[in-house]
Amino acid sequence: MIASHAGLRGLAASAVAIGHFTEIFAPGWFLPHTHIAVDFFFLLSGFILTHVYAADFAGGLSLRNCGCFLLRRLARIYPLHLATLVAILAILRFHLTPEEAGQLGPQLVLAHAWGLSERYVLNAPSWSISVEFGAYLAFPLLVLLLGRRGGWLVLAGLSLAGVALLWPLGAGSLDLHVTGSRHVWLRGLVAFPLGMLLAALAARHRAGAAAGWWQGGALAAFVALIALSTPEMCWLVPMAVMVWACAGDRGRIARIMASRPMVWLGEVSYGIYLIQWVVILALYNIVPKLGFLPPAALTLATGVLYFGGVLGLAALSARWYEPTFTRLAHRCRLGRG
C-alpha cells in the first residue's frame, strides 16, 4: 500500500462529504467545487489498480485472471453499495416515485451512470461507483495495452478523447449539474486512463529526493488555478502531479498524508462516500424535530449528527462488514504472467 495515497483518498472523500453537508444543511458555509474530488478518485483508482495488478496481466489475458480481478473489485465495491441502497429504501419506507423505481434496477447492477439517467436519485453519489465499475470492466485490456510497445498512446488518446467530448458540454466544468448526468462517464474516461499512465511513469521514474518540491509545486498550482477561476478540468493536471509525486511516500505532504490519522481516514473513505447520503436522508426526518433550536445551534447539532453518523458507520463498515467480502474474494488468486 502507498500510505500517502490512502491519506489523499481520505481527504478527497471528506471533501465530498463536507461539500454535501454545507450545500444542504449550511448553505451560508457552502464549500464549492468539492465534486472535483470524485475525479481525483478516478485518477487515483487508475494509478493504484495499475500499481497492484499490472504484473498479473503482463503475460496476457486469461479467463481466470480477468474473472478473479473482477470478483475482487466487485467484492470491494458492491456489498456496501447494496447495503446503503437497501438502507435508503428503508428510510423511504419502500415508497418510491416513478423516477426512483425506474432507477432501482440500473443501480442494482451498477449501470445507472452509463448514459441512462437524467439525474441521480436513491443513493445519488453512487453514480461514481457505476463509472468505476465500467472502468474495472475495461481495465484488463487497458493494462495489457499499457505494457505493450506504444500502448501508452492508446490510453493517452482515450483520456484526450474524454477531454474533447466533455469540455464543450460545460466549458471545462466537471460539475454534473453543468455537463449533464448522462455524460458523467466521460469523467472516468478522462481521469482513469490518466491515472494508469501515471502509474507506468512512477514505475520507471519516481520523484525521489525532489518529491517535496513536486508536491509543493502541485499544491501551489492547484490553489492558483482555483484562485484564477480556471476551468475545473485544468485542475486535474496538478492533481495528477500530486499523485505521481507522492508515490514514493517521500516529501512533507506525502508524510502528512501517510500519518496514522490520514491513513485511517483513507481506510474508511469508501464508507464515508457511500454512507453520507444515507445519513443525509435520515437527517431530513430528524432536523425538523430540532426546529426549536436557534439557527446556529441547529446547524451545529446537525453537523455533529452528520459527521458523527458518517464517520461512525464508515468505521464500523470498514472494520466488520467490508473485509468479510474482500477476504473471501482474495481466495481467488491471479497468476502472474
Side-chain angles (χ1 to χ4, degrees):
M1 180 184 74
I2 300 173
S4 57
H5 282 182
L8 288 169
R9 185 171 64 248
L11 185 64
S14 300
V16 174
I18 293 170
H20 282 147
F21 173 79
T22 57
E23 180 181 14
I24 296 169
F25 297 112
W29 296 86
F30 177 53
L31 185 64
H33 304 297
T34 53
H35 55 265
I36 190 74
V38 178
D39 302 273
F40 184 78
F41 289 146
F42 297 147
L43 184 70
L44 196 59
S45 179
F47 187 105
I48 292 172
L49 291 181
T50 304
H51 174 71
V52 173
Y53 288 105
D56 295 312
F57 292 100
L61 302 181
S62 70
L63 185 62
R64 177 180 177 81
N65 275 13
C66 292
C68 283
F69 168 76
L70 289 174
L71 177 65
R72 289 184 178 190
R73 298 319 303 162
L74 276 172
R76 179 68 188 94
I77 66 172
Y78 195 77
L80 188 57
H81 167 68
L82 181 61
T84 52
L85 183 57
V86 170
I88 286 173
L89 292 175
I91 291 171
L92 297 175
R93 300 180 182 180
F94 296 89
H95 294 152
L96 305 182
T97 66
E99 183 182 28
E100 290 166 342
Q103 202 168 119
L104 180 58
Q107 285 207 19
L108 283 170
V109 297
L110 287 173
H112 50 300
W114 298 0
L116 300 175
S117 305
E118 291 290 349
R119 71 185 188 108
Y120 300 112
V121 293
L122 300 175
N123 196 356
S126 70
W127 69 262
S128 67
I129 310 305
S130 172
V131 174
E132 187 83 4
F133 178 53
Y136 294 164
L137 294 175
F139 176 79
L141 179 59
L142 292 178
V143 78
L144 179 67
L145 288 172
L146 186 60
R148 299 295 189 261
R149 185 185 180 97
W152 68 272
L153 290 170
V154 176
L155 273 75
L158 287 172
S159 186
L160 290 173
V163 172
L165 291 169
L166 189 57
W167 190 287
L169 298 175
S173 173
L174 291 169
D175 187 344
L176 64 82
H177 299 296
V178 176
T179 61
S181 296
R182 289 188 181 275
H183 305 110
V184 291
W185 62 274
L186 290 171
R187 292 166 65 178
L189 184 62
V190 172
F192 189 85
L194 178 56
M196 295 182 67
L197 289 169
L198 290 171
L201 175 63
R204 295 169 175 80
H205 305 288
R206 292 284 180 96
W213 290 101
W214 282 103
Q215 293 159 18
L219 180 59
F222 184 72
V223 173
L225 289 173
I226 294 175
L228 293 171
S229 299
T230 58
E232 290 172 332
M233 209 173 292
C234 298
W235 307 357
L236 290 172
V237 176
M239 288 162 60
V241 174
M242 182 66 77
V243 168
W244 170 75
C246 287
D249 281 340
R250 299 180 66 178
R252 180 169 297 180
I253 292 176
R255 286 194 293 271
I256 293 172
M257 291 297 107
S259 63
R260 184 170 295 181
M262 293 305 300
V263 170
W264 177 83
L265 200 62
E267 290 171 349
V268 303
S269 61
Y270 186 57
I272 290 173
Y273 185 77
L274 276 186
I275 291 169
Q276 60 171 314
W277 211 252
V278 178
V279 177
I280 284 171
L281 293 182
L283 286 174
Y284 279 146
N285 296 323
I286 296 172
V287 170
K289 298 176 182 178
L290 302 177
F292 61 90
L293 293 172
L298 178 60
T299 301
L300 178 60
T302 306
V304 169
L305 290 172
Y306 175 73
F307 291 107
V310 169
L311 285 173
L313 291 172
L316 289 173
S317 177
R319 177 67 178 89
W320 299 108
Y321 181 64
E322 297 165 58
T324 302
F325 302 95
T326 54
R327 281 195 298 265
L328 288 172
H330 273 73
R331 293 180 181 177
C332 185
R333 300 193 177 278
L334 287 79
R336 300 240 161 178

